[in-house]
Amino acid sequence: MATNTETNEGFTVEAKAQARFVRVTPTKARRVVDLVRGKNAQEAISVLTFAPQGASEPVLKVLNSAIANARQKADQASVAFDERLLVVSEAYVDEGPTMKRFRPRAQGRASRILKRTSHITLHVAQPERKDGGR
């Protein structure tokens, strides 16, 4: 899902992408999202490409989707769009539903296994140029 806001709070193009029910624990996903928050989108892509964490793959997919949403919204609104100027303005991870599973243990007991899910949301924005669009 993407949104577009023209000249809202100093941004000319703003878009969002969200991945829900991702099978990564929210704590591990937040570690990866903290790496890219506030960075240039191209720099964030290179950071996520080479990050050793397993959660970097779904976060990279969400970032690429947000960039594509921004490009699409800029084309629809006939706004000048430069992908190199995009910045990750917001990035957060919410906790999704937890799947409960049971594992057999010693002496007839069972222990609970919690399989956690995440909702990953990234907002990218193109800041408004102060130099007259140079």
Side-chain angles (χ1 to χ4, degrees):
M1 182 174 178
T3 59
N4 181 30
T5 309
E6 291 183 26
T7 62
N8 186 11
E9 298 178 17
F11 295 114
T12 54
V13 176
E14 188 175 325
K16 149 184 148 172
Q18 188 176 38
R20 302 187 69 211
F21 307 106
V22 179
R23 272 288 292 123
V24 174
T25 64
T27 309
K28 293 177 182 178
R30 284 185 190 115
R31 283 182 53 207
V32 174
V33 165
D34 289 343
L35 293 174
V36 298
R37 186 179 293 118
K39 288 198 166 141
N40 185 315
Q42 297 301 319
E43 185 181 342
I45 287 174
S46 63
V47 166
L48 291 173
T49 302
F50 297 107
Q53 292 87 0
S56 62
E57 184 181 344
V59 174
L60 178 62
K61 285 185 177 183
V62 173
L63 179 59
N64 286 330
S65 179
I67 292 169
N69 289 343
R71 184 182 307 115
Q72 184 69 25
K73 288 296 180 180
D75 288 345
Q76 286 179 352
S78 298
V79 177
F81 179 74
D82 190 2
E83 190 173 310
R84 295 170 297 179
L85 298 177
L86 283 178
V87 175
V88 180
S89 58
E90 286 183 56
Y92 52 91
V93 177
D94 295 324
E95 188 170 345
T98 301
M99 297 184 285
K100 284 121 181 137
R101 303 291 183 259
F102 291 93
R103 180 164 306 264
R105 305 309 269 180
Q107 299 181 0
R109 294 186 177 96
S111 64
R112 182 181 284 193
I113 305 293
L114 300 177
K115 299 190 174 213
R116 301 182 187 275
T117 61
S118 303
H119 302 319
I120 302 169
T121 307
L122 292 178
H123 291 255
V124 293
Q126 180 176 328
E128 192 174 288
R129 291 183 162 183
K130 306 271 191 243
D131 59 357
R134 240 181 68 178

